[in-house]
């Protein structure tokens, strides 16, 4: 019986020792498309789909997975393919037709919102959840010559001039967009005053900021921190409950009187068509990666919080997060 998508999962309890992802009613594991012997000994070649253009957080995550898996000989080889656009839903479409069972796709909070706002025919629920990996706060920045010295200055101007003030970030409906809407709502500013300019990758939004084509930007702290440290951008606030290690002098939104906390998680899923045995192989692969000193160093070097979660726990988390994001998008006028 094939490993089902989230919509067909029935919530079996999976032990951490086994690290498996199973479906109710699977009496015997199905063959893994002719690769079962190879997979039992280790994955020869892993395909990693990054559903965004190079330069952003998903790309950084995908390439870190690629590098650390190979460095620890957990796979013979791994390769990243970028399929950008539409908040990751183009990547979801590529996953739907993917025939190679040794495939993972990087995804996260951004994709959850983008699926809803784009009314995507391809759903996260149709993939096989493998692991949540990291968690990261967002940062609101402006060019260094901006007249906005505080987050209050920026929001006050949006309240007064509306769409004359532009904010850039990742794809429509993603974490960056949602944070912008949440800040306006918290300040009592109408959602129709938000002029949000989406880009499919962090590199494009950074170029728009450095070129003074937009007034402000929102992205993961890791994507903008170096430009802030170099004096090319000014950080106004971070969106976590505490200050971000990369930008310790930047106050949180809540510290500045804006009662909003939002962090951006990232993880990996597999094609929805794989069976339980292959899901176990890929889940164990991520568990093995997480246990390496190399991956722990990668987390530290990138200031990514360790948010590791696998199997049914991750599947349940995804179900809850999708439902919560739907409500949030409606509340802030984005859906």
């Amino acid at each position: 019986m094939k490993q089902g998508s989230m919509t067909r999962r029935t919530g079996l309890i999976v032990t951490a020792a086994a690290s498996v992802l199973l479906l109710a009613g699977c009496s015997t594991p199905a063959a893994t498309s002719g690769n079962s012997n190879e997979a039992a000994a280790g994955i020869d070649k892993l395909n990693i789909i990054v559903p965004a253009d190079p330069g952003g957080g998903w790309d950084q995550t995908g390439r870190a997975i690629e590098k650390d898996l190979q460095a620890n000989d957990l796979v013979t080889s791994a390769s990243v393919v970028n399929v950008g656009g539409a908040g990751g839903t183009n990547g979801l479409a590529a996953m739907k037709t993917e025939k190679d069972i040794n495939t993972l796709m990087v995804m996260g909070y951004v994709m959850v919102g983008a699926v809803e706002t784009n009314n995507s025919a391809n759903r996260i629920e149709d993939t096989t959840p493998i692991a949540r990996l990291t968690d990261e706060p967002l940062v609101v920045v402006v060019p260094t010559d901006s007249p906005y010295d505080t987050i209050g200055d920026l929001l006050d101007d949006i309240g007064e001039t509306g769409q004359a003030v532009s904010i850039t970030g990742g794809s429509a409906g993603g974490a960056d967009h949602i944070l912008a809407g949440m800040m306006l709502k918290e300040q009592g500013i109408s959602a129709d005053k938000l002029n949000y300019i989406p880009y499919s990758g962090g590199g494009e939004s950074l170029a728009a900021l450095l070129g003074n084509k937009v007034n402000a930007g929102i992205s993961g702290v890791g994507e903008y921190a170096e430009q802030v440290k170099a004096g090319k951008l000014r950080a106004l606030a971070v969106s976590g409950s505490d200050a971000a290690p990369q930008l310790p002098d930047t106050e949180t939104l809540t510290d500045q009187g804006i009662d909003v906390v939002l962090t951006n998680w990232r993880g990996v899923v597999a094609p929805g068509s794989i069976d339980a045995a292959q899901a176990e192989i890929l889940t164990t692969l991520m568990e093995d990666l997480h246990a390496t000193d190399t991956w722990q160093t990668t987390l530290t070097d990138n200031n990514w919080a360790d948010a590791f979660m696998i199997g049914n726990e991750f599947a349940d988390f995804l179900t809850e997060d999708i439902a919560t994001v739907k409500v949030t998008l409606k509340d802030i006028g984005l859906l």
Side-chain angles (χ1 to χ4, degrees), residues 84 244 329:
L329 288 170

Side-chain angles (χ1 to χ4, degrees), residues 45-54 57-66 69 78-85 87-108 111 127 133 266-272 282 286:
K45 183 179 186 300
L46 180 72
N47 299 317
I48 302 171
I49 297 175
V50 170
D53 295 332
W58 282 345
D59 188 59
Q60 294 169 5
T61 302
R63 294 184 188 281
I65 293 170
E66 173 193 36
L69 284 174
S79 60
V80 170
V81 176
N82 293 87
V83 184
T89 57
N90 287 347
L92 268 175
M95 276 283 284
K96 187 173 183 178
T97 59
E98 179 59 57
K99 302 301 182 184
D100 192 331
I101 60 172
N102 292 324
T103 297
L104 292 173
M105 182 178 70
V106 180
M107 48 79 70
M111 183 179 287
T127 68
L133 299 173
R266 298 188 181 108
V268 290
V269 295
L282 293 173
M286 288 297 100

Side-chain angles (χ1 to χ4, degrees), residues 109 113 116-117 173-175 177-179 181-183 185 260-262 320-335:
Y109 188 89
E116 303 304 328
T117 55
H177 196 174
I178 289 174
L179 180 61
M182 291 175 70
M183 290 191 299
K185 182 184 179 184
V260 172
V261 175
L262 187 153
E320 293 173 7
D321 204 49
I322 291 167
T324 300
V325 166
K326 285 181 180 179
V327 174
T328 302
L329 288 170
K330 290 178 180 178
D331 284 348
I332 63 178
L334 299 181
L335 188 63

Side-chain angles (χ1 to χ4, degrees), residues 307-320:
F308 192 64
M309 180 185 291
I310 58 171
N312 285 348
E313 185 181 10
F314 181 41
D316 290 343
F317 167 82
L318 267 178
T319 299
E320 293 173 7

